[in-house]
Amino acid sequence: MFASTSAFCRLVTLAGLLAAVPAAAQTKIKTKVKPGSAPASTAAPARAASVGAPGGSLRYTLAMPAPQTHYFEVRMDLQGFGQEYTDLKMPVWAPGSYLVREFSRHVERFKAQGANGQALVVEKLDKNTWRVHHAGQGTFRVDYGVYAYEISVRTSYIDADHGFALGSSIFMYPAQAKSLASQVTVQPAAGWATVSTALRPAPGMQKYVYQSTNYDELADSPIEIGNQKVLSFTANNTPHQLAMYGPYQLADEPRFLGDMKKITEEAQRVVGQNPLDHYLFIVHHLDAGGGGLEHLYSTTLGARPGTYSNETAYKNFLRLVAHEYFHLWNVKRIRPVALGPFDYDHENYTHMLWVSEGQTEYMANQIAQRAGFYTAQQYYDQLATVLGGVENQPGNKLQPVAMSSFDAWIRAYRPDENSRNSEISYYDKGEMVGLVLDLMLVQATNGQKHIDDVFRLLYDKYYKGLKRGFTDQEYQDAVAQVAGRRFDDFFQNCVYGTRTLDYSTALGYVGLTLTSAPASPNGSLGATIANRNGHYVVTSVKRDGTAWNGGLNVNDEVLQLGGAAPTDESVKQALFSSAPGTVLKMQVKHNAFTHDLSLTLQPDPERAYQIQPVASPTPDQQRLLAKWLGK
């Protein structure tokens, strides 16, 4: 997954899921089905449903008769479930987005009936499990509504303009038959004519009927319904589609599709093996556009309507495309062992999101550079910006990036005013770890290998060979195998500890220098203040800064600044144009109390970084640089 401008994630799994083969809505393509066994359920009640005897079937109907009310209507028709009762579950989270979102809170009007139309007894066991008592009737039906009005790439949404169904937040599954194949019939709202999904059309069926190999595939194949425009291009003989929802201006469609082709083909070169027979981009053009979420054979992206007419925004979008597309390998197939088969009832903990997300972001920027969208210096500037963000964040000194990953479930998606002081992003820090690790690999192998070779090894050994994810130790072993030496101290100190990465040495291998200077010559309050309807309120306080040590708090209202009522100009002067040593006299309201503070501004502790080539690189440095840049 990619959050904000960089972004985005989760890997699926098991051999059964590996056998899944998607296709675009109503697009007839030649499929390549990979053999494999179906995944076992990761959580099972003591006496749950039949696992689906031979001949058992599961059919879903997804209807939206009144889209303006923001409800999807779901029907499940189950056959071959011959036990006394069946437990049906709704996931509590969406793979790729590491937060328990409690999707079952949006479920309404759950009811069940037997083949004869008689109502069946339904018992709710816990927050996301419904037990249907069907007394040995092998055939029964379940109906329920899902309220869907949270617009993001990780939640479902429907209104009068379109519908977006994210499988894990829409479709329930039989607790003991997660591996059962299913069929989905989509009934678009009146006036809607297009359905876009990576699910394969069901052979011989009418329009808008799709099939999934198992629940994991269904949950990982979002469905866009409406009148979106569909664009197409081919990358390495694989058809790709873009379902473009919302208003947007695309002045040069051939150029856009050509650029998408460049990004996807460059991404495929990293591992060198293409697991696709088809791929779908669902693009939502919204004023608050941004972010993305990866899926097994598709992705959902957010973009603003003006993205394609602004060169900076356009290239950022291509980097987002590269990030989500590279998840096809890193996360969806190359994955930590904790991330598949999924436990949809609970958190799935891993220390390795710095690889799954951080290194995906690192490779996304590499891919965009290799594809020619950035010069080498522009790429160095991007790296320097991320480096500065990491090193200027106080939480980087407190939270190891491995723990940032492990605690994603309780912290990453729940930021507060103290987050920057206490934690670090596994995206940004993971990208920096990826940078240094890649340069170490290039140097250790004398320019023969780089980080691409680690992904290739993991793909062949664990995805294709062992058909499972890798452990933390197995990842380190793979790096050692590629490098020809171990980097255990690096992992212990810089991944599982908070030692500052040795950027300068690593960059020096390829003839680059890292320099830094104070970000500002001015004094620093170490706080931000915002004008909220004429009230000047403290919105952040930086650890160990002037405000932190002087007793200024988030949510304090500044009543006086320098003996006068604050204004936009006086606040700007205090924050950005006062010399170190300046004494700020403030009167603030803290809850119901008023405090007078006298704060002496410290020098600004933040630094601005630059990465540039050395004046006269050696031939070895030039050779290693070319390898690192993928030339």
Side-chain angles (χ1 to χ4, degrees):
M1 174 178 179
F2 192 85
S4 72
T5 49
S6 157
F8 358 66
C9 168
R10 208 74 297 167
L11 176 123
V12 270
T13 69
L14 248 242
L17 183 55
L18 311 180
V21 180
Q26 312 312 316
T27 301
K28 301 299 182 182
I29 58 176
K30 184 177 180 180
T31 59
K32 298 177 284 185
V33 181
K34 298 179 175 63
S37 58
S41 173
T42 54
R47 294 180 61 215
S50 159
V51 295
S57 68
L58 174 58
R59 291 183 291 118
Y60 298 89
T61 302
L62 180 66
M64 51 219 76
Q68 76 283 359
T69 66
H70 316 303
Y71 280 92
F72 284 108
E73 304 296 334
V74 182
R75 170 167 289 175
M76 299 175 68
D77 286 296
L78 302 95
Q79 294 182 346
F81 289 75
Q83 293 191 0
E84 178 183 333
Y85 58 78
T86 297
D87 289 346
L88 300 177
K89 286 182 170 290
M90 175 73 86
V92 304
W93 67 290
S97 180
Y98 308 105
L99 176 68
V100 172
R101 298 183 182 274
E102 310 293 19
F103 291 130
S104 58
R105 65 195 170 100
H106 295 306
V107 173
E108 299 179 9
R109 296 171 278 112
F110 186 101
K111 62 182 181 180
Q113 65 183 54
N116 58 5
Q118 274 192 321
L120 300 175
V121 173
V122 175
E123 175 187 6
K124 193 167 185 186
L125 300 185
D126 55 35
K127 64 182 181 180
N128 68 318
T129 309
W130 287 257
R131 176 166 290 176
V132 179
H133 294 267
H134 47 92
Q137 296 183 57
T139 298
F140 64 98
R141 168 175 289 176
V142 167
D143 290 280
Y144 59 91
V146 179
Y147 183 71
Y149 199 51
E150 181 180 352
I151 193 157
S152 77
V153 298
R154 62 191 72 88
T155 52
S156 292
Y157 181 88
I158 186 169
D159 61 14
D161 298 317
H162 81 129
F164 174 70
L166 182 69
S168 55
S169 67
I170 295 292
F171 299 112
M172 295 187 186
Y173 64 92
Q176 288 298 295
K178 204 171 64 160
S179 62
L180 186 64
S182 65
Q183 189 178 99
V184 180
T185 299
V186 179
Q187 296 178 348
W192 294 358
T194 305
V195 175
S196 300
T197 179
L199 292 170
R200 290 171 292 153
M205 301 297 291
Q206 68 270 33
K207 198 175 184 182
Y208 307 140
V209 181
Y210 306 92
Q211 61 185 0
S212 63
T213 305
N214 49 41
Y215 182 77
D216 286 321
E217 183 186 3
L218 177 63
D220 209 26
S221 302
I223 306 171
E224 177 72 22
I225 314 105
N227 292 307
Q228 65 272 15
K229 185 175 181 180
V230 178
L231 305 177
S232 301
F233 69 94
T234 300
N236 288 334
N237 300 315
T238 300
H240 291 62
Q241 289 188 339
L242 297 99
M244 308 282 278
Y245 163 75
Y248 65 94
Q249 298 80 42
L250 194 57
D252 191 342
E253 185 176 300
R255 177 206 173 190
F256 172 62
L257 294 177
D259 289 346
M260 293 290 291
K261 177 182 175 71
K262 289 178 185 177
I263 287 289
T264 52
E265 290 188 342
E266 195 64 53
Q268 290 184 19
R269 289 189 185 98
V270 175
V271 174
Q273 298 182 59
N274 178 11
L276 299 175
D277 68 342
H278 177 79
Y279 194 81
L280 172 68
F281 297 93
I282 298 174
V283 187
H284 291 159
H285 297 92
L286 306 164
D287 287 337
L293 187 64
E294 72 280 358
H295 299 286
L296 186 61
Y297 289 93
S298 62
T299 186
T300 307
L301 308 173
R304 290 183 173 86
T307 291
Y308 311 107
S309 58
N310 178 289
E311 193 67 15
T312 299
Y314 179 63
K315 289 184 177 180
N316 284 339
F317 176 78
L318 293 177
R319 289 164 59 200
L320 172 60
V321 169
H323 179 108
E324 299 304 335
Y325 194 78
F326 190 66
H327 273 314
L328 277 171
W329 295 270
N330 193 33
V331 153
K332 287 298 168 190
R333 289 158 181 87
I334 302 167
R335 61 178 177 84
V337 71
L339 299 181
F342 295 125
D343 177 351
Y344 293 105
D345 281 343
H346 307 96
E347 297 87 345
N348 291 220
Y349 293 103
T350 175
H351 294 110
M352 302 297 285
L353 293 182
W354 67 270
V355 173
S356 298
E357 291 293 353
Q359 285 198 14
T360 296
E361 183 60 3
Y362 174 69
M363 291 308 304
N365 292 322
Q366 275 270 344
I367 288 163
Q369 178 269 138
R370 294 178 190 180
F373 294 104
Y374 296 95
T375 65
Q377 186 59 55
Q378 287 172 332
Y379 177 54
Y380 307 155
D381 293 344
Q382 290 173 3
L383 291 172
T385 298
V386 178
L387 190 159
V390 168
E391 295 305 321
N392 287 321
Q393 184 161 327
N396 181 43
K397 308 302 180 186
L398 295 177
Q399 186 187 51
V401 70
M403 190 53 64
S404 172
S405 169
F406 196 82
D407 280 349
W409 296 94
I410 58 174
R411 305 185 77 165
Y413 292 88
R414 292 183 173 127
D416 59 29
E417 69 281 353
N418 198 47
S419 293
R420 288 184 56 80
N421 290 325
S422 60
E423 58 188 276
I424 192 66
S425 164
Y426 50 78
Y427 284 93
D428 296 340
K429 183 63 176 287
E431 181 178 359
M432 291 298 96
V433 173
L435 164 66
V436 173
L437 187 60
D438 194 8
L439 291 167
M440 291 166 61
L441 285 165
V442 171
Q443 190 272 340
T445 62
N446 196 26
Q448 297 303 303
K449 296 183 179 180
H450 55 165
I451 204 166
D452 299 37
D453 295 282
V454 177
F455 290 118
R456 292 168 186 166
L457 189 158
L458 294 170
Y459 187 87
D460 283 335
K461 183 172 183 177
Y462 294 102
Y463 170 67
K464 291 179 67 179
L466 298 176
K467 295 181 170 56
R468 64 167 174 86
F470 52 82
T471 67
D472 297 17
Q473 185 60 52
E474 286 169 340
Y475 179 82
Q476 292 187 46
D477 294 343
V479 170
Q481 184 174 335
V482 170
R485 57 183 286 262
R486 299 201 66 83
F487 296 141
D488 292 345
D489 287 347
F490 171 82
F491 283 99
Q492 183 62 36
N493 294 320
C494 298
V495 174
Y496 299 97
T498 58
R499 180 181 294 177
T500 301
L501 292 161
D502 190 352
Y503 303 104
S504 294
T505 297
L507 290 165
Y509 296 148
V510 294
L512 299 177
T513 61
L514 176 69
T515 59
S516 70
S520 166
N522 300 315
S524 171
L525 178 61
T528 55
I529 300 173
N531 183 342
R532 293 180 174 170
N533 299 318
H535 296 271
Y536 290 85
V537 179
V538 178
T539 55
S540 71
V541 173
K542 188 172 183 178
R543 181 182 291 274
D544 294 330
T546 299
W548 176 281
N549 293 320
L552 193 63
N553 305 277
V554 168
N555 296 328
D556 284 359
E557 181 183 353
V558 181
L559 302 178
Q560 290 190 357
L561 183 60
T567 64
D568 286 353
E569 186 58 35
S570 67
V571 169
K572 181 180 178 181
Q573 174 72 27
L575 293 180
F576 306 114
S577 302
S578 296
T582 300
V583 177
L584 291 183
K585 293 188 178 298
M586 307 175 73
Q587 185 181 80
V588 300
K589 183 179 180 182
H590 177 71
N591 296 326
F593 297 94
T594 299
H595 298 285
D596 292 315
L597 302 176
S598 182
L599 305 175
T600 302
L601 299 186
Q602 299 175 5
D604 190 344
E606 295 199 357
R607 302 191 68 81
Y609 293 85
Q610 278 192 315
I611 298 173
Q612 294 179 313
V614 298
S616 300
T618 66
D620 281 346
Q621 286 175 323
Q622 292 177 315
R623 181 171 51 82
L624 297 186
L625 178 67
K627 180 64 174 181
W628 173 57
L629 293 176
K631 303 303 183 185

